[in-house]
């Protein structure tokens, strides 16, 4: 019924140079419900949400709040209409305290025009107590976990009397226990009549929490249904425009000799006694809960961070790696966990981002050989099916999946022997994931080796030949393919370390 609709958009269109991002979009969300918005990267989800939140101006179309037409020119006006957006990449000031963040942009003032800090503090204490948050008002945000900050953003939205809350990939960087807490909070918000737009690439989550599901593809609405009237396979096929029979295109590739070995790798208070190996053509997985030390270990091996002791052997030769430059020269590259912080250069083109890892390939004789750079980048982009209007397009304008493929292209241009991929499919859709998996299979077919860190057990099980499991900075087990099982992985992931690596599970 119309009176149940909190927010509705009709005929929304938006174009950017070279691409039409949204075409005659019709979308609505009911009061007290979770409306999941699904679609591949580049389908238009983020563009639509930024229009609703006032970050973008639509070329055509109308937004309605409580069936009344409104014009939203910026996020402040969106807030005045009861709309709040919690982005995937949380925007916060690490040096601010919890109470300062809660009232950022709306600090109360006294009759003299000065900030009423007593009111700020008392209101923050009340919010924290009501929401049972595990931190104090004077704590700085840099001391909190991602999930703590995320929950704080939700509290901030509620404190602003938000009636529509947009959540973009809210569970991409939090543990299962924290996901349960988030879902509990969402159920409370629903009972209060809050409408929630939920964007996620985790389909199991979507069906667990959504009341309605809308699918976008190529900037258009493909379908909008009650969640109970649709199934997972249908949603995925509508997202990608085809039926996906095999989500994990892993092939059984004959393994070659040992190419990579790490011995007795240690860093005080981070990880200890790390020993593992990998063979040519092998995909070796690293599983573990958040905080297990997987990323810290890989960053140290690649030379991004310090380590106390340990040996790295590549192709039978012991190598000294003190920086990423050392690693790359020895045939080791790493796709970092965070695209934004350690991956892309947002203001640079896709071509420059791809060639950045191996400039020696293109700069000789005192200048850059643009033709060779263009040819080599074009060739690897074609191989990887990178979707970009031109090679000079800023990488920030690409979808997350295409940004990830550009970063993979960067490292493939270095012609590595071993690739460390840390959360290679985080924040990208099922179609883009499938393409990344196919690329991984093609890479190991060439005799290269992949070390894959992932928090998604199904993809580790689907893509790896062996899985090492870490807990509290130690490797607690190594599981052979024949014994892959989520319960087995979790048992090792939750194991108290005994300062030694267990035998292989066979």
């Amino acid at each position: 019924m119309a009176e149940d609709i909190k927010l509705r958009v009709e005929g929304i269109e938006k174009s950017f140079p070279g691409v039409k991002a949204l075409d005659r979009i019709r979308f609505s969300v009911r009061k007290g419900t979770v409306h999941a918005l699904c679609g591949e990267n580049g389908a238009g989800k983020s563009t639509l949400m930024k229009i609703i939140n006032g970050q973008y101006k639509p070329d055509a179309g109308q937004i309605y709040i409580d069936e009344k037409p409104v014009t939203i020119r910026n996020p402040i006006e969106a807030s005045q209409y009861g709309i709040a957006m919690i982005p995937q990449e949380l925007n916060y000031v690490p040096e601010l305290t919890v109470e300062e963040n809660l009232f950022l942009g709306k600090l109360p003032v006294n009759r003299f025009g000065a900030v009423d800090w007593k009111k700020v503090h008392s209101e923050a204490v009340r919010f924290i107590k009501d929401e049972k948050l595990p931190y104090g008002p004077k704590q700085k945000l840099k001391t909190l976990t991602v999930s703590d900050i995320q929950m704080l953003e939700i509290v901030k939205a509620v404190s602003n009397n938000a009636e529509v809350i947009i959540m973009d990939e809210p569970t991409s960087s939090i543990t299962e226990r924290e996901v349960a807490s988030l879902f509990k909070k969402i159920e409370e918000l629903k009972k209060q009549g809050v409408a929630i737009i939920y964007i996620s690439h985790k389909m199991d989550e979507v069906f667990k929490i959504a009341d309605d599901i809308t699918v976008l593809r190529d900037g258009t609405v493909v379908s909008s249904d009650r969640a109970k009237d649709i199934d997972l396979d249908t949603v995925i096929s509508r997202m990608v425009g085809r039926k996906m029979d095999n989500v994990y295109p892993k092939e059984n590739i004959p393994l070659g000799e040992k190419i990579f070995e790490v011995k007795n790798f240690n860093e005080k208070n981070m990880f200890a006694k790390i020993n593992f190996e990998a063979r040519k053509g092998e995909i070796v997985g690293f599983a573990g809960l958040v905080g297990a030390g997987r990323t810290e270990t890989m960053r140290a091996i690649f030379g991004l961070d310090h380590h106390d002791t340990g040996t790295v052997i590549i192709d039978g030769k012991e190598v000294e790696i003190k920086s990423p430059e050392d690693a790359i020269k020895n045939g080791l590259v790493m796709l970092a966990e965070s695209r934004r912080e350690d991956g892309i250069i947002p203001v640079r083109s896709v071509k420059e981002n791809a060639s950045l890892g191996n400039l020696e390939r293109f700069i000789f004789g005192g200048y850059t050989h643009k033709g060779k750079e263009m040819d080599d980048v074009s060739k690897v982009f074609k191989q990887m099916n990178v979707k970009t209007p031109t090679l000079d397009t800023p990488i920030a304008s690409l979808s997350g999946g295409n940004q990830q493929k550009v970063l993979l292209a960067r490292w493939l241009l270095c012609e590595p022997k071993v690739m460390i991929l840390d959360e290679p499919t985080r924040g990208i859709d099922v179609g883009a994931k499938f393409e990344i998996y196919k690329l991984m299979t093609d890479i190991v077919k060439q005799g290269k080796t992949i070390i894959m860190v992932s928090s998604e057990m199904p993809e580790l099980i689907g893509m790896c030949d062996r899985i090492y499991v870490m807990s509290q900075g130690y490797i607690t087990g190594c599981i052979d393919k024949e014994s892959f099982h989520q319960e087995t992985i979790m048992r090792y992931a939750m194991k108290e370390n005994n300062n030694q690596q267990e035998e292989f599970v066979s």
Side-chain angles (χ1 to χ4, degrees):
M1 293 178 64
E3 61 268 20
D4 293 327
I5 301 298
K6 180 63 190 178
L7 178 142
R8 179 166 63 90
V9 301
E10 290 285 346
I12 293 291
E13 298 187 13
K14 181 66 179 177
S15 294
F16 297 101
V19 61
K20 186 158 191 174
L22 298 174
D23 186 13
R24 292 168 291 177
I25 294 293
R26 184 181 185 188
F27 171 80
S28 61
V29 56
R30 298 180 291 144
K31 297 175 183 178
T33 64
V34 174
H35 196 131
L37 192 59
C38 301
E40 293 190 271
N41 289 102
K45 304 185 301 296
S46 294
T47 301
L48 178 58
M49 293 305 103
K50 287 178 179 178
I51 286 173
I52 292 172
N53 195 45
Q55 293 166 262
Y56 289 162
K57 179 183 178 182
D59 299 330
Q62 181 64 58
I63 300 174
Y64 298 85
I65 300 290
D66 293 325
E67 294 303 321
K68 296 176 182 177
V70 298
T71 299
I72 302 175
R73 288 167 292 210
N74 53 59
I76 294 175
E77 288 190 358
S79 177
Q80 291 168 353
Y81 283 113
I83 298 169
M85 183 170 177
I86 303 169
Q88 179 182 356
E89 301 286 351
L90 295 171
N91 295 316
Y92 59 94
V93 184
E95 293 296 332
L96 287 184
T97 63
V98 169
E99 61 185 27
E100 288 169 334
N101 180 77
L102 274 172
F103 290 91
L104 191 62
K106 58 181 182 68
L107 288 166
V109 295
N110 58 29
R111 60 194 179 92
F112 301 109
V115 174
D116 190 343
W117 289 111
K118 284 187 177 180
K119 185 175 181 180
V120 167
H121 182 72
S122 62
E123 287 291 298
V125 169
R126 182 175 65 81
F127 283 130
I128 290 168
K129 184 179 179 181
D130 289 347
E131 299 298 330
K132 299 181 176 62
L133 300 179
Y135 40 78
K138 296 294 185 183
Q139 274 188 252
K140 289 189 175 182
L141 266 66
K142 66 181 182 182
T143 67
L144 306 184
T145 66
V146 172
S147 62
D148 285 339
I149 295 170
Q150 193 172 64
M151 199 59 73
L152 188 64
E153 288 297 305
I154 295 173
V155 172
K156 187 176 177 180
V158 174
S159 73
N160 288 337
N161 299 314
E163 297 177 336
V164 177
I165 299 179
I166 302 166
M167 297 184 182
D168 190 357
E169 296 288 349
T171 65
S172 62
S173 303
I174 61 177
T175 66
E176 289 186 20
R177 182 179 299 176
E178 291 163 340
V179 169
S181 297
L182 174 64
F183 285 1
K184 184 178 179 182
K185 182 63 184 175
I186 288 173
E187 286 299 321
E188 292 175 8
L189 292 171
K190 284 174 60 177
K191 290 176 182 176
Q192 297 168 23
V194 176
I196 295 168
I197 302 173
Y198 192 90
I199 300 174
S200 178
H201 293 123
K202 298 180 180 179
M203 291 295 104
D204 56 333
E205 286 183 3
V206 167
F207 278 89
K208 187 179 294 184
I209 199 168
D211 298 291
D212 303 307
I213 299 175
T214 290
V215 177
L216 291 184
R217 186 173 74 239
D218 298 330
T220 63
V221 173
V222 176
S223 65
S224 194
D225 302 270
R226 297 285 190 262
K228 61 183 177 62
D229 297 332
I230 196 170
D231 60 27
L232 174 61
D233 290 340
T234 302
V235 170
I236 291 176
S237 65
R238 288 176 179 175
M239 284 170 57
V240 301
R242 63 188 184 279
K243 189 173 181 180
M244 295 184 63
D245 298 315
N246 182 14
V247 178
Y248 303 105
K250 179 73 167 73
E251 298 179 25
N252 291 321
I253 299 166
L255 303 183
E257 68 266 21
K258 183 165 58 179
I259 183 76
F260 188 63
E261 191 172 6
V262 174
K263 290 185 176 181
N264 201 32
F265 223 65
N266 302 276
E267 169 62 24
K268 188 178 180 181
N269 299 324
M270 298 297 289
F271 51 82
K273 298 186 178 179
I274 301 296
N275 293 276
F276 69 94
E277 60 186 46
R279 298 164 66 183
K280 288 183 178 180
E282 188 174 25
I283 299 178
V284 175
F286 267 77
L289 302 176
V290 173
R294 297 165 301 163
T295 292
E296 291 80 1
T297 299
M298 297 305 159
R299 286 176 62 90
I301 291 170
F302 184 57
L304 275 169
D305 296 333
H306 175 267
H307 70 279
D308 293 325
T309 58
T311 302
V312 176
I313 299 171
I314 299 176
D315 208 5
K317 177 186 174 184
E318 184 176 326
V319 296
E320 185 176 19
I321 298 176
K322 292 184 177 180
S323 68
E325 184 181 9
D326 293 337
I328 294 167
K329 285 181 178 178
N330 284 288
L332 173 66
V333 298
M334 179 175 172
L335 183 74
E337 178 182 22
S338 173
R339 281 193 299 271
R340 174 181 284 189
E341 294 179 12
D342 300 312
I344 67 169
I345 311 297
V347 297
R348 294 293 185 177
S349 69
V350 291
K351 178 186 66 181
E352 291 170 311
N353 270 272
S355 63
L356 184 63
N358 191 9
L359 290 175
E360 291 178 356
R361 183 184 182 117
F362 310 111
I363 299 176
F364 49 91
Y367 64 95
T368 303
H369 287 249
K370 297 287 186 182
K372 179 173 175 55
E373 182 184 25
M374 188 77 73
D375 290 345
D376 287 4
V377 171
S378 296
K379 184 178 178 181
V380 75
F381 276 13
K382 184 176 180 180
Q383 173 192 341
M384 303 181 73
N385 193 28
V386 177
K387 296 176 183 176
T388 176
T390 71
L391 292 185
D392 293 319
T393 299
I395 193 171
S397 67
L398 267 58
S399 67
N402 281 299
Q403 288 180 8
Q404 198 77 318
K405 285 192 279 186
V406 171
L407 294 179
L408 277 170
R410 173 192 296 172
W411 296 127
L412 285 177
L413 284 169
C414 294
E415 300 179 352
K417 298 173 182 176
V418 181
M419 301 182 75
I420 299 173
L421 307 183
D422 193 353
E423 303 287 2
T425 66
R426 172 172 288 171
I428 61 178
D429 60 77
V430 289
K433 281 185 178 183
F434 183 77
E435 291 191 343
I436 296 291
Y437 298 147
K438 284 202 300 183
L439 287 169
M440 290 171 61
T441 299
D442 291 342
I443 288 167
V444 293
K445 273 184 176 179
Q446 299 168 22
K448 302 182 191 299
T449 299
I450 290 176
I451 311 297
M452 180 186 188
V453 177
S454 176
S455 298
E456 296 189 28
M457 282 192 281
E459 75 174 7
L460 287 172
I461 291 171
M463 290 302 298
C464 295
D465 298 290
R466 284 183 300 125
I467 299 174
Y468 287 92
V469 188
M470 289 188 68
S471 175
Q472 301 177 36
Y474 291 83
I475 292 178
T476 52
C478 179
I479 308 172
D480 289 331
K481 194 173 184 66
E482 296 75 20
S483 302
F484 283 177
H485 196 281
Q486 290 201 24
E487 289 183 8
T488 306
I489 295 172
M490 281 303 298
R491 179 161 56 87
Y492 285 110
M494 299 177 72
K495 185 178 178 62
E496 295 286 335
N497 77 70
N498 56 2
N499 292 354
Q500 64 180 16
Q501 179 175 323
E502 293 202 357
E503 297 297 319
F504 289 3
V505 178
S506 59

